[in-house]
């Protein structure tokens, strides 16, 4: 099961798929096709059994950073509200933490910047068959969730984004994602406001995007505005826990 995902084999794979410095063609990887399959519960369990729920994704050096990091999915939310935030340098942007928490939070970018930050150089793997290595900086989500004090019933963190995914621009169908609290509390799960040492650009999710480094690209929501703690996500949008999951991708997007 783990071999089907390449979990154990990933260290030896890859060299032959080099495209550009720091970027790779991954379409030969087993998970490239498995992400559309139905094996996620078993692989999730297997990964936790073998590596432990807190095992770290590989980290790289500055020399490995891709000179050009591909941007994918929404490249600009394109709403008047978002354009206003760009115009004011995101000074009124808030990240709220809501739902099953004892202390709901509303954080500005300055609030995030005041927290101790983690910087990590990791490989982003997209199911479309490419990957790029980049450096991400921001506070660990575990620190923010600890401040919000999740209630015992909280099982998942749901991330709501600023980009509409329908032609009508209906905000109830913006990009969203979710993960369980052990993934949300993982030490490499950060709210990144910097990429490669510079403020996040609009194509990469300005002003803040999640990095959950053991997960595939679609589990890295950009333009994050709200983190809602819930016991169950089946009543949200299509009920599968994320924009791409509602279209058929597996909820557990582990690498
Ligand atoms: N809000 C939002 N987040 C998103 C997406 C998106 O379309 N909207 N696309 C996802 C996908 S499929 C990938 S591969 C990555 C791309 O991140 P990048 O543009 O920084 O490369 O963002 C993910 N997060
Ligand atoms: Mo992706």
């Amino acid at each position: 099961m783990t071999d089907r995902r390449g979990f154990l084999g990933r260290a030896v794979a890859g060299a032959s798929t080099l495209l550009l410095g720091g970027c790779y063609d991954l379409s030969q990887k087993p998970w490239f096709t498995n992400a559309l399959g139905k094996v996620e519960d078993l692989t999730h369990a297997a990964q936790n059994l073998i590596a432990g729920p807190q095992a770290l994704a590989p980290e790289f050096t500055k020399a490995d950073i891709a000179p050009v990091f591909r941007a994918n999915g929404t490249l600009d939310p394109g709403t008047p509200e978002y354009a206003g935030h760009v115009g004011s340098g995101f000074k009124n942007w808030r990240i709220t933490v809501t739902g099953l928490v004892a202390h709901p939070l509303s954080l500005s970018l300055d609030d995030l910047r005041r927290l101790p930050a983690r910087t990590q150089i990791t490989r982003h793997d997209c199911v479309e068959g490419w990957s790029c290595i980049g450096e991400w900086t921001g506070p660990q989500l575990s620190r923010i969730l600890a401040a919000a004090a999740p209630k015992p019933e909280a099982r998942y963190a749901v991330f709501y984004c600023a980009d509409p995914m329908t032609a009508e621009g209906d905000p109830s169908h913006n990009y969203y994602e979710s993960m369980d609290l052990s993934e949300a509390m993982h030490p490499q799960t950060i709210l990144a406001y910097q990429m490669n040492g510079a403020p996040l650009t609009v194509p990469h999710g300005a002003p803040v995007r999640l990095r959950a480094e053991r997960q595939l690209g679609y589990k890295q929501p950009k333009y994050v505005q709200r983190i809602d703690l819930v016991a169950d996500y089946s009543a949200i949008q299509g009920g599968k826990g994320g924009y791409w999951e509602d279209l058929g991708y597996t909820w557990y997007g582990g690498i």
Side-chain angles (χ1 to χ4, degrees):
M1 194 49 69
T2 50
D3 272 355
R4 288 176 66 188
R5 268 216 191 233
F7 174 64
L8 295 174
R10 72 185 167 202
V12 291
S16 61
T17 56
L18 187 66
L19 282 183
L20 289 168
C23 286
Y24 304 81
D25 175 0
L26 297 177
S27 56
Q28 305 308 311
K29 293 278 176 98
W31 54 254
F32 176 67
T33 44
N34 276 356
L36 298 165
K38 292 282 171 252
V39 295
E40 78 269 32
D41 289 342
L42 279 170
T43 49
H44 191 184
Q47 177 160 335
N48 282 343
L49 195 65
I50 292 166
Q54 299 292 301
L56 296 180
E59 293 194 18
F60 300 84
T61 70
K62 284 199 187 283
D64 301 314
I65 293 173
V68 178
F69 194 111
R70 183 166 155 178
N72 202 39
T74 300
L75 304 181
D76 184 336
T79 64
E81 293 79 12
Y82 185 81
H85 284 296
V86 172
S88 66
F90 298 103
K91 73 174 185 321
N92 297 320
W93 191 272
R94 291 291 179 276
I95 301 226
T96 58
V97 183
T98 58
L100 296 172
V101 294
H103 307 299
L105 303 174
S106 175
L107 304 169
S108 67
L109 289 178
D110 281 343
D111 293 333
L112 291 187
R113 289 191 201 101
R114 272 193 286 272
L115 293 169
R118 188 179 203 281
T119 292
Q120 55 203 28
I121 302 175
T122 53
R123 199 186 70 197
H124 174 105
D125 291 343
C126 173
V127 281
E128 288 168 24
W130 57 274
S131 86
C132 287
I133 292 172
E135 182 191 69
W136 305 94
T137 301
Q140 288 170 314
L141 184 60
S142 60
R143 198 176 280 281
I144 292 160
L145 293 184
K151 295 182 177 175
E153 318 87 86
R155 288 192 61 196
Y156 305 102
V158 183
F159 301 87
Y160 290 93
C161 305
D163 50 327
M165 302 306 282
T166 57
E168 305 75 42
D170 170 10
S172 68
H173 286 85
N174 282 9
Y175 198 91
Y176 81 108
E177 251 307 331
S178 65
M179 58 196 55
D180 64 28
L181 285 195
S182 83
E183 204 68 44
M185 302 291 276
H186 184 272
Q188 289 168 314
T189 300
I190 68 172
L191 278 177
Y193 51 72
Q194 259 184 308
M195 177 186 177
N196 298 338
L200 214 55
T201 60
V202 168
H204 290 296
V208 181
R209 64 104 48 89
L210 191 80
R211 295 297 314 172
E213 303 296 355
R214 302 190 313 169
Q215 300 282 317
L216 289 167
Y218 61 90
K219 304 291 289 192
Q220 323 285 329
K222 307 193 276 192
Y223 321 108
V224 174
Q225 290 185 301
R226 179 157 77 104
I227 303 169
D228 196 37
L229 266 58
V230 300
D232 173 21
Y233 51 74
S234 63
I236 301 167
Q237 293 205 31
K240 299 289 194 289
Y243 172 77
W244 282 110
E245 288 86 336
D246 287 342
L247 295 173
Y249 284 13
T250 62
W251 178 78
Y252 180 68
I255 292 166

